[in-house]
Structure formats: structure tokens, C-alpha cells
Amino acid sequence: MGHIFAGLYLVPAVGVHINPVTMATVAAWTGAAGQNNADCVLFDGTYIYVGLGASPSIVVKIDPATMATVAVWSSDLYGTDVTGLAFDGAFLYASILKSPSSVVKIDPATMATVAVWTGAAGEDSGSDLCFDGVFLYCCFGTTPAIVVKINPATMATVAVWTGAAGNNTGLKVISDGAYIYVGLGTFPARVIKINPATMATVAVWTGPVGWDSCDSLAHDGAFVYAGIGVSPAIVVKIDPATMAAVAAWSGAAGEDYCEALSFNGVVLYAGLYVAPARVVKIDPATMTTVAVWIGAAGQNNCYALALFPFGRADHLPLMGVH
């Protein structure tokens, strides 16, 4: 069972190590001066990486055993906020907020830039990034929404999905190994299922009135989960075969704005953008709350989650979902 790293959108940025059994704080990382706003987080099997909503663009490499900074990648050449992180087993990739947007390939051993993908005209506001085992996919907060398929070896565009009328503002993108899913910041929220071979829309889930803005996505191998950025927060369980809602979790009083989701093989975690921050442990079978972590005073605004092994019981690497 992976331990939890909760990235908090604060000045300076904070990352909290949470024990998944007790849902208690184990330790915390705090960014140095200028290292603000944890926008996305990822675990690569050895280290945790935090992409910051700062200028210049910054990715911090952290040792999960000590919660100490190991190295930093920083550049003012490609844009500002680091909005998404992905890992292909060898290299780290960071989507950068810019017009047009950039995706930077980083050597995690040296934290040096290896190559850069730059979007075409209109491929602006890169908002998230994922890897499906072969290609990278970057989504864009544009009108209409865009998802670009990128070859990580050449850092060249392979194909582009463009949303139909009304399918605007791509916020999150994930892969379940067979299809790509993009969460839209529409009112109401939408999740688009895309065939990665053709980059064509397969199906669309649209929430009911009041379920606005899909701010986070996760999958558990059987279902897709969409975090809805409303008060109280909502997490929707979607059958990917039909793209129909199966069940939904709704937060208690004070449990608002689900900005992050992650699945550890057994339970689902929802990161909430509230003060103090909360991480809710959810049973995906029943979609009910199991336990809740609540941050200490000043530990506000959970914006990203990753899972990592810690101790003898956690010997299998778990990839973070941001």
C-alpha cells in the first residue's frame, strides 16, 4: 500500500507525507524561496518530483525517505507554471504553461533538459500530461479543448484531437492503457474517451447540472473516476465501456473542490482544495469515506497527489496520478 504525498498550493510550496493506514502526517517538505505552489507531483519508482506554479518554471526532485530536496530543474526559456508531469521509465516530461505551450524532456539523473516540444499556433495553455507506455499526451485549456499525441523519442507531434463544439478547456488527461480520457472544465463537467490510435472521440460523459468542471481524473483498471470542482466536492465513478456514471461520492461539510485523485490498488484518495487541506480515503466499491487526513494550520489547498513505497510493507513502486 503506497504512502501518500500531497502537494499543497502554497507560498512556498509544501508536500506532506501521509501514512495511508493511520491517515496521519509522517513528515513534510517545504520549498525554498521562490519554490511556490505545488501544481503537479509524480513518483518515478525512486524519487518524488514536484512541478511548481511559479516563474521561472521549476521541478523539484525529492528523496521520499528524507523529504529533502535532491536537485532542481529550472528554466525561464519555455514558459511559467509546470502543469503536468509524466515518466516513461527513463525520462521525465513536464508540460509548461505558455502560448504556445511546451513539453520539456528532462534527464532525472542530472535534472538537465534533453529536448523540448513546442506546440503549433493555438496549442496554448498546456494543462496536463500523461504517458500510455508508448506516447505522451498533452491536453490544453483551449476553446475547443485539444489533446496532442507526442513521440517521446523525437519530441514531435504525431496526431491531434480537437474537441467538438462545446468540448472546451481540457484540464486533466489520463490513460488506462487502452484509451485516453480528458476531463473538461465545462459547466457541467465532461469526460471525453479518445481512441489513441485514431485520436477520435469514442464517447462522452456529461455530468448533471451543477456538477461543474472535471478538475481531476484517475482509473483503477476497471473504472474511471472524475473529481468535480464544486462545493461539496464530488467524485464520480464512470464505467468506461458505457461512459455512464455508476456511483458518486459527495463530500461532507467542508470537503470541497476535488483537485486531485489517486488510486493505490485498493482505495481511492481525493485531494481537496480547502483550508486546511484534506485528503479523503474512499472505498471505490461503496464510494463511501473510509478516513480523512486534515492538514495542520497553514497546510492548505491540496492540488496534487502521488503514491510511493515506504518501509517494508511498501515494496512495489506506485506511479503517482496528478
Side-chain angles (χ1 to χ4, degrees):
M1 180 182 291
H3 279 224
I4 306 158
F5 183 90
L8 307 187
Y9 205 84
L10 293 171
V11 178
V14 172
V16 182
H17 173 184
I18 302 167
N19 183 313
V21 177
T22 63
M23 294 299 283
T25 297
V26 177
W29 166 87
T30 301
Q35 294 179 353
N36 303 328
N37 305 321
D39 202 308
C40 50
V41 298
L42 178 141
F43 176 67
D44 72 351
T46 306
Y47 295 99
I48 293 168
Y49 300 86
V50 180
L52 302 181
S55 180
S57 307
I58 297 172
V59 177
V60 182
K61 180 180 181 178
I62 299 168
D63 183 342
T66 63
M67 296 294 284
T69 296
V70 175
V72 178
W73 173 88
S74 179
S75 176
D76 60 2
L77 299 179
Y78 310 114
T80 55
D81 300 15
V82 177
T83 57
L85 291 169
F87 182 67
D88 67 0
F91 295 99
L92 184 68
Y93 301 86
S95 59
I96 312 294
L97 187 66
K98 189 181 179 183
S99 297
S101 288
S102 300
V103 174
V104 182
K105 183 176 185 177
I106 301 168
D107 182 342
T110 63
M111 293 300 282
T113 298
V114 176
V116 181
W117 172 89
T118 300
E123 292 175 352
D124 306 327
S125 305
S127 53
D128 197 21
L129 191 64
C130 75
F131 178 68
D132 72 351
V134 181
F135 296 103
L136 295 165
Y137 299 85
C138 186
C139 72
F140 299 84
T142 49
T143 301
I146 296 170
V147 177
V148 177
K149 181 179 182 178
I150 301 168
N151 184 329
T154 63
M155 294 299 283
T157 296
V158 177
V160 180
W161 171 87
T162 302
N167 288 341
N168 305 327
T169 318
L171 296 181
K172 295 295 175 183
V173 62
I174 62 169
S175 168
D176 67 359
Y179 294 94
I180 304 301
Y181 301 86
V182 59
L184 305 185
T186 50
F187 287 30
R190 295 182 183 182
V191 178
I192 314 293
K193 181 180 180 179
I194 300 169
N195 183 332
T198 62
M199 292 300 283
T201 297
V202 176
V204 181
W205 171 82
T206 302
V209 173
W211 289 18
D212 299 333
S213 191
C214 179
D215 291 354
S216 52
L217 286 172
H219 67 87
D220 66 1
F223 296 95
V224 172
Y225 299 87
I228 309 300
V230 292
S231 176
I234 295 169
V235 177
V236 185
K237 183 179 183 178
I238 301 169
D239 182 345
T242 63
M243 290 302 285
V246 175
W249 169 90
S250 184
E255 294 178 351
D256 308 324
Y257 312 114
C258 181
E259 297 297 325
L261 286 171
S262 194
F263 178 71
N264 77 344
V266 180
V267 296
L268 188 69
Y269 298 100
L272 307 185
Y273 194 88
V274 291
R278 297 189 185 197
V279 176
V280 182
K281 184 178 184 178
I282 300 169
D283 180 345
T286 62
M287 294 301 283
T288 56
T289 297
V290 177
V292 181
W293 170 84
I294 300 176
Q299 290 182 340
N300 305 330
N301 311 329
C302 181
Y303 206 68
L305 293 172
L307 304 177
F308 65 98
F310 188 82
R312 293 180 181 177
D314 294 327
H315 59 278
L316 294 177
L318 293 166
M319 295 304 295
V321 179
H322 49 275

